[in-house]
Amino acid sequence: MSKTTKTYIRHLHALINRHLGPSSLPGEGIQYWRQRIFHYFSLAIVFFGVTVYLYYGLYFLFSQDYHLLAFSTFIFISSLLMVSLPGIPLKIRSGWVQLMLFITGTFLLFLGPHTNIGMIFLFACSIMAVTMSGTITAIRYMILHSIVLTAVGFYWYSGRFQLTNFPDISLHTYINLAISFMVLNTITLAPLISLINGLMFSIKKERRYQRILEKEQDDLVLARQKAEESDKLKTAFLSNMSHEIRTPMNAILGFSNLLSHKGVSDQEKKEFVNLIRINANNLMSLVEDIIDISKMESGQFELHNSPCQLHQLLDETNNIFEEEIFRRGITNVKLYLKKGLADENLQILTDGIRLKKVLANLIGNAIKFTHKGYVEFGYVVKNHHQLEFYVKDTGIGLPEGTEELIFNRFYKCSNNSEKLYGGTGIGLTIARHLVRYMGGDIRVDSRSAVGTTFYFTIPFQKVLVPLQNQVKPWLSDSINWEGKTFLVAEDEEDNFRYLEVALSLFNASLIWARDGREAVDILQKVNQIDLVLMDIKMPVMDGYTAVREIRKFNKTVPVIAQTAYTMRGEKAEALKAGCNEYISKPINYNELVDMIKQFIPDKMENQTQSQGIVS
């Protein structure tokens, strides 16, 4: 074969496969292959149909059978239209072509001397039916073909019809042809049906696996995006955390160094001590926030519901932030408190500490983002079972679309790029968690540059119990533990030094044990120990083990556990080990003294009791 001939064949092949092929391939899997098959069927129908139509069209024209000419023209033109209009669904196009093939084959068999061509059309109908429409349609056409062949035989060879044209074959030959056609049709369609069903099953299975892979790929992409977003948020969080920790530490260390300077007056020293206390409290609040959110996300967070004097809590919160506003020299922002009920002694059942924490987070944010105007907070009675608290400000507001994002961990937003706002980005996350733990929900209503209002609800359950008398503050010279000996089990010298100085103000004598084993040994040797302050985490022997050993030979000495652990169940574990009380670090000076007073009455109390007995 010459090179020119091969080039022409290659161009013809390209013409058929590209230019005469379907312009688009809708669907996937078996639909794709059916589109391809129909395309090649269409090519065959076009070329073969033109030949057949020209032959029979001229035949009918010369025979003056105009009705047959019109019939054949309709079949040919409609088939061409169906083949050439890709906008029509494939199912309709292929169904119409199958019907036209069936009608044409049937027409040629009844016409007379065209048996072979008619059977070819019926055979083509069967092949197209099984490949384009499936097994059921193919079987239906096979049944129709057997009916047609029987009807044609009866029409030509029964002698009941007066015929002008006789068939070109005998009855015996026709029967052989009909049987051969049905056998050929069956043995061709049976494996073809099996092949197509297997192909469809394989394509569906492959597509199912492909969907699974696509879903897994989408999940991986989504997981990667979340991981990248989480990494960015954590990076921002660490940066913010570094800033938020170093800021109060700078004040604490700076003012601590200045306290020892000779040129600092007593008044300035008092101011520095107050600033150190404020920044230490801020630092402690930050640490508590981190611990709280860790507990929440690990499922170890617990609420402690008890009677709470609501208005007293609100007044305390108001006083704290009024003092904060005054201390920071903020003159353009006013703070207002609105109470929903007039009863000043109203008590509700809730976790007052957590409620105060939510309010503090929201009010602190409101003051931080308000440059001029007011911040208002309070509550209203929403119904008999709910209180709705609110914190409203006239600050910068929130950018549109961030109403939910602000509750995400580490998320921070600002409408003013020229001003840097502090914060770790977890305050609102903690607030939402706390509100939901308390049985309510939180939402925000904000307009940029107008202001923001946070609303949150908690269950409203009144508690009718007598009000407890407020504990009067004690003075250092009103407590005297002279003659009392306390054993302090503490491995950190600085922590022991703090307790030594604090308790020496009340004339108590202290013995220092540097680990649990040493504490046990001292108690076995010294009988005059009135109370034990037991640290939990120590070398050699931990605090819990030490307390268990102590209880084996001393059941009466009071033991107060002191620990930096604040996880759920820690207090219960301490009491189970044999401790009488539990106090968490950092140890509050007043709280510690009050706790010791429960077990060790001071000298003045003893004198008062003795006088009462004498009288």
Side-chain angles (χ1 to χ4, degrees):
M1 185 180 295
S2 65
K3 185 177 181 179
T4 305
T5 304
K6 290 181 180 179
T7 302
Y8 284 134
I9 293 176
R10 187 170 63 253
H11 288 169
L12 180 62
H13 184 71
L15 176 69
I16 293 174
N17 284 281
R18 298 176 186 175
H19 300 290
L20 296 182
S23 58
S24 62
L25 299 175
E28 52 193 340
I30 192 64
Q31 190 73 6
Y32 168 83
W33 291 107
R34 280 177 171 164
Q35 183 81 2
R36 299 297 298 175
I37 291 170
F38 183 75
H39 163 63
Y40 288 109
F41 260 118
S42 302
L43 294 177
I45 290 172
V46 169
F47 293 123
F48 185 64
V50 169
T51 304
V52 173
Y53 174 71
L54 289 176
Y55 172 76
Y56 282 103
L58 293 173
Y59 175 78
F60 294 141
L61 181 62
F62 292 143
S63 301
Q64 296 184 349
D65 292 330
Y66 298 117
H67 60 288
L68 296 179
L69 176 62
F71 174 70
S72 60
T73 302
F74 167 75
I75 291 178
F76 179 68
I77 297 299
S78 64
S79 299
L80 284 181
L81 288 175
M82 284 295 173
V83 167
S84 58
L85 295 177
I88 302 176
L90 179 63
K91 185 176 181 180
I92 297 177
R93 296 163 64 197
S94 63
W96 182 262
V97 172
Q98 293 167 35
L99 180 62
M100 292 301 101
L101 289 174
F102 174 75
I103 292 175
T104 302
T106 303
F107 169 72
L108 291 177
L109 287 173
F110 276 100
L111 188 61
H114 311 284
T115 306
N116 294 336
I117 299 177
M119 289 184 177
I120 289 174
F121 273 91
L122 293 182
F123 186 74
C125 174
S126 298
I127 298 297
M128 177 169 275
V130 71
T131 54
M132 300 303 299
S133 303
T135 304
I136 301 300
T137 303
I139 292 174
R140 288 173 181 170
Y141 271 115
M142 285 182 64
I143 295 173
L144 288 175
H145 293 166
S146 63
I147 294 173
V148 167
L149 291 174
T150 302
V152 168
F154 184 79
Y155 175 74
W156 285 113
Y157 302 105
S158 65
R160 297 195 177 190
F161 300 94
Q162 294 183 358
L163 306 174
T164 55
N165 295 325
F166 290 94
D168 53 352
I169 55 175
S170 63
L171 175 61
H172 179 71
T173 303
Y174 177 78
I175 293 174
N176 287 337
L177 283 175
I179 294 174
S180 299
F181 171 80
M182 292 304 299
V183 170
L184 179 64
N185 210 5
T186 303
I187 64 177
T188 301
L189 294 187
L192 191 58
I193 289 172
S194 177
L195 175 64
I196 291 176
N197 287 340
L199 179 63
M200 291 178 65
F201 176 78
S202 298
I203 291 175
K204 289 179 180 178
K205 183 171 68 173
E206 181 181 353
R207 181 56 190 157
R208 185 168 62 252
Y209 291 153
Q210 186 178 354
R211 284 197 300 269
I212 293 174
L213 290 175
E214 288 175 353
K215 184 179 182 304
E216 291 180 351
Q217 186 177 9
D218 292 341
D219 291 342
L220 287 174
V221 171
L222 183 61
R224 186 184 67 182
Q225 291 174 348
K226 288 185 176 180
E228 290 175 350
E229 181 180 357
S230 177
D231 185 60
K232 291 179 181 178
L233 290 174
K234 287 179 180 178
T235 301
F237 170 72
L238 291 175
S239 177
N240 292 334
M241 191 62 64
S242 175
H243 176 269
E244 295 302 313
I245 291 176
R246 289 174 182 273
T247 299
M249 283 302 298
N250 181 65
I252 293 170
L253 294 175
F255 288 122
S256 297
N257 292 330
L258 288 175
L259 285 175
S260 61
H261 197 280
K262 296 180 179 179
V264 177
S265 65
D266 291 341
Q267 183 64 32
E268 287 176 324
K269 286 181 180 181
K270 290 181 180 180
E271 179 186 356
F272 294 168
V273 169
N274 186 50
L275 291 173
I276 291 172
R277 179 184 59 82
I278 291 171
N279 281 276
N281 288 336
N282 291 340
L283 187 59
M284 190 60 206
S285 178
L286 174 62
V287 173
E288 288 176 349
D289 282 349
I290 297 172
I291 293 174
D292 280 347
I293 199 168
S294 299
K295 286 181 179 179
M296 292 169 186
E297 295 186 350
S298 62
Q300 295 184 335
F301 186 81
E302 286 184 341
L303 288 176
H304 301 284
N305 290 332
S306 61
C308 168
Q309 289 184 254
L310 180 58
H311 289 184
Q312 179 182 335
L313 182 147
L314 294 174
D315 288 335
E316 289 175 358
T317 304
N318 186 64
N319 293 337
I320 290 171
F321 283 100
E322 280 187 341
E323 180 183 347
E324 176 73 9
I325 290 174
F326 176 77
R327 185 183 66 83
R328 291 166 54 185
I330 301 174
T331 58
N332 295 328
V333 178
K334 301 297 181 182
L335 182 64
Y336 300 106
L337 169 60
K338 301 293 184 181
K339 300 173 182 177
L341 293 172
D343 184 7
E344 287 295 328
N345 296 324
L346 173 67
Q347 293 187 95
I348 62 173
L349 185 64
T350 189
D351 189 328
I353 295 176
R354 306 303 183 185
L355 174 58
K356 194 172 183 180
K357 178 70 174 177
V358 175
L359 287 170
N361 282 349
L362 297 179
I363 297 170
N365 269 353
I367 294 173
K368 178 169 60 176
F369 292 105
T370 302
H371 307 145
K372 185 178 181 181
Y374 66 89
V375 173
E376 179 183 313
F377 74 102
Y379 73 94
V380 295
V381 180
K382 191 171 184 181
N383 52 53
H384 294 297
H385 305 289
Q386 273 190 334
L387 295 179
E388 183 176 71
F389 291 82
Y390 68 92
V391 177
K392 181 180 180 181
D393 65 62
T394 56
I396 64 174
L398 296 174
E400 186 176 353
T402 61
E403 289 80 2
E404 282 298 317
L405 293 177
I406 59 172
F407 293 104
N408 293 342
R409 289 182 305 165
F410 316 142
Y411 185 86
K412 297 176 69 177
C413 66
S414 170
N415 278 347
N416 185 354
S417 60
E418 297 179 357
K419 183 175 176 60
L420 178 64
Y421 295 95
T424 60
I426 59 175
L428 290 177
T429 306
I430 292 173
R432 169 170 275 187
H433 279 302
L434 289 176
V435 169
R436 289 180 175 177
Y437 268 104
M438 289 189 287
D441 203 1
I442 188 170
R443 61 187 176 88
V444 60
D445 181 17
S446 177
R447 285 184 295 168
S448 181
V450 175
T452 304
T453 305
F454 283 89
Y455 301 92
F456 70 91
T457 57
I458 63 169
F460 180 29
Q461 185 175 353
K462 281 188 177 182
V463 180
L464 301 176
V465 296
L467 293 175
Q468 297 180 353
N469 293 327
Q470 294 185 359
V471 178
K472 296 181 180 180
W474 43 263
L475 301 176
S476 60
D477 57 357
S478 67
I479 296 178
N480 188 359
W481 282 319
E482 184 179 353
K484 304 296 182 181
T485 302
F486 302 156
L487 173 63
V488 178
E490 173 64 67
D491 60 319
E492 295 289 341
E493 184 175 357
D494 293 341
N495 291 339
F496 170 74
R497 178 60 179 158
Y498 166 68
L499 294 174
E500 182 183 29
V501 174
L503 297 177
S504 66
L505 297 175
F506 310 101
N507 302 318
S509 299
L510 267 62
I511 300 176
W512 182 19
R514 291 171 174 80
D515 57 64
R517 180 74 267 170
E518 188 176 345
V520 174
D521 293 341
I522 292 174
L523 271 169
Q524 287 177 330
K525 296 175 183 177
V526 181
N527 295 326
Q528 300 300 322
I529 292 179
D530 299 286
L531 181 135
V532 179
L533 289 171
M534 180 70 71
D535 188 29
I536 298 303
K537 185 179 180 182
M538 291 185 294
V540 183
M541 181 184 288
D542 65 84
Y544 290 150
T545 305
V547 173
R548 294 188 187 99
E549 291 294 321
I550 291 170
R551 290 310 182 199
K552 291 179 181 179
F553 61 86
N554 191 328
K555 305 288 187 181
T556 59
V557 61
V559 179
I560 298 176
Q562 48 164 341
T563 177
Y565 292 118
T566 58
M567 302 307 286
R568 181 175 62 182
E570 196 69 35
K571 183 174 182 178
E573 181 68 21
L575 298 178
K576 183 179 178 182
C579 299
N580 300 90
E581 259 299 349
Y582 170 96
I583 189 169
S584 60
K585 295 179 180 179
I587 296 175
N588 182 277
Y589 177 73
N590 297 344
E591 183 181 351
L592 175 63
V593 174
D594 282 338
M595 190 173 291
I596 294 176
K597 284 185 66 178
Q598 297 176 20
F599 304 101
I600 309 298
D602 62 82
K603 190 174 181 180
M604 296 182 66
E605 287 181 351
N606 287 334
Q607 292 176 354
T608 303
Q609 292 174 0
S610 300
Q611 292 174 359
I613 294 173
V614 171
S615 62

